[in-house]
Amino acid sequence: MSEKKAFPEHVAIIMDGNGRWAKRRGFPRSAGHLAGAKNISRVVEAAMKAGVKMLTVYAFSTENWKRPEAEVTFLMHLIPRFCNRMLKKMMENGIRLRTIGRANDLPEFARKVLLDTIEATKNNTAFTLNVALSYGGRAEITDAVNAILNDPNRPQGALTEADVAKYLYAPDMPDPDLMIRTSGELRLSNFMLWELSYAELYVTQTHWPDFDAAALQEALDAYAGRNRRFGEVK
C-alpha cells in the first residue's frame, strides 16, 4: 500500500449526538433527529465545496431497531422526508444517492421512496452520498459470507480479501480515507468494520446538528497533517 492521498476523497461520518443536542435545549429527541437529518444537506454542500467526492453517513444501525417504537417510527418517517427534500438539490448538483445495509428491513413506505430516489439519481456523477440504513458492520460481513456460500459461481479454494470484498454491500465503493465521529464517543459502533480498517479516525465533541462547514474543515485539516503507513516503515 502507498502513502495516503493529501486529501480524503471519501469521508465517513458517525452522526452522533442528536439526542444530547435536543436535551440541552429542552427539546424532545425527535427534534434532535430532525435537526440532524437537515444537517446532512449542509454537510454535503460543505464537503462538495471542500473537494470531497464521497460521503457515507451512519443514519440507522441494526442495533437501533431496539430503541423505543415511537422513536423508530419517527426515524423511519424521516427517510422519505429527507429524500423528498433533497431530490431537487441532488439533481441540480449531480449528487448520487446510494444506501448500504439491509434495506429490506425498512418499512415499505420508507423503502419505496428511498429506492425511487436512488433510481432517479443513479446517473449523477459529481458527488456520491451513501446512507447506511439498518446497517451493521458485522451484519455486512455475515451477509457477504452467506452470499458467497449461496453463489454457485463462487471462487474455489481459499478466499482472498479481494474475493470477500466483492460480496460487500457496495463492492465498487472505495474505502473511506477519513472517519469522523461527532459528540465525543470513542468507538466504531459496528460501522464499516471491513472498510474502515485503515481509515484515519477523527473525533469531535460537537454534536451532529451543530457540525458545520468549519467543523468539517477542522477534520480535513487534521487528516492533512497525518501520515498513514499501512503497517510499513517509511
Side-chain angles (χ1 to χ4, degrees):
M1 296 182 179
S2 60
E3 293 185 12
K4 72 173 178 64
K5 299 174 182 176
F7 189 84
E9 294 186 1
H10 183 187
V11 175
I13 303 180
I14 298 177
M15 305 181 295
D16 198 11
N18 291 343
R20 278 162 282 183
W21 179 92
K23 184 177 180 180
R24 284 187 176 182
R25 290 160 176 78
F27 299 153
R29 286 179 60 85
S30 57
H33 292 314
L34 180 58
K38 290 180 178 178
N39 196 43
I40 296 175
S41 175
R42 293 190 289 267
V43 173
V44 166
E45 182 178 353
M48 292 184 71
K49 288 182 178 179
V52 175
K53 298 299 183 184
M54 180 176 291
L55 187 68
T56 299
V57 295
Y58 202 10
F60 192 88
S61 74
T62 49
E63 291 75 26
N64 288 157
W65 292 110
K66 301 174 185 177
R67 292 188 175 188
E69 183 179 355
E71 182 173 352
V72 171
T73 298
F74 182 85
L75 290 168
M76 291 301 103
H77 279 87
L78 273 183
I79 295 171
R81 187 171 179 175
F82 169 81
C83 290
N84 291 330
R85 181 172 175 267
M86 281 285 290
L87 180 57
K88 182 179 179 182
K89 181 175 183 177
M90 288 190 284
M91 298 307 296
E92 290 176 347
N93 294 278
I95 300 170
R96 179 188 183 191
L97 179 68
R98 299 180 72 179
T99 188
I100 56 173
R102 293 174 170 174
N104 288 337
D105 290 348
L106 304 178
E108 176 61 24
F109 72 87
R111 184 171 65 251
K112 183 181 186 307
V113 177
L114 174 67
L115 296 180
D116 286 348
T117 307
I118 289 172
E119 177 66 20
T121 63
K122 68 180 182 180
N123 293 321
N124 293 344
T125 59
F127 187 88
T128 299
L129 172 62
N130 304 306
V131 181
L133 291 163
S134 193
Y135 176 88
R138 289 184 175 182
E140 179 176 26
I141 295 170
T142 300
D143 289 349
V145 171
N146 283 321
I148 292 170
L149 293 175
N150 292 323
D151 185 354
N153 299 314
R154 65 180 180 270
Q156 299 300 307
L159 295 173
T160 65
E161 290 185 11
D163 292 329
V164 175
K166 292 176 183 177
Y167 291 84
L168 298 177
Y169 291 143
D172 58 328
M173 178 178 69
D175 290 345
D177 303 297
L178 170 67
M179 193 285 287
I180 300 169
R181 178 156 193 160
T182 59
S183 205
E185 301 293 348
L186 301 175
R187 56 179 178 270
L188 287 177
S189 295
N190 200 19
F191 184 45
M192 301 182 80
L193 301 180
W194 182 281
E195 298 89 343
L196 290 176
S197 294
Y198 277 99
E200 290 295 309
L201 308 182
Y202 177 87
V203 177
T204 174
Q205 296 297 321
T206 304
H207 298 320
W208 171 247
D210 289 331
F211 188 84
D212 56 13
L216 175 64
Q217 190 58 54
E218 288 182 10
L220 298 178
D221 290 343
Y223 175 89
R226 300 186 188 182
N227 179 26
R228 294 162 72 192
R229 295 183 295 274
F230 299 99
E232 300 176 4
V233 175
K234 301 297 180 183

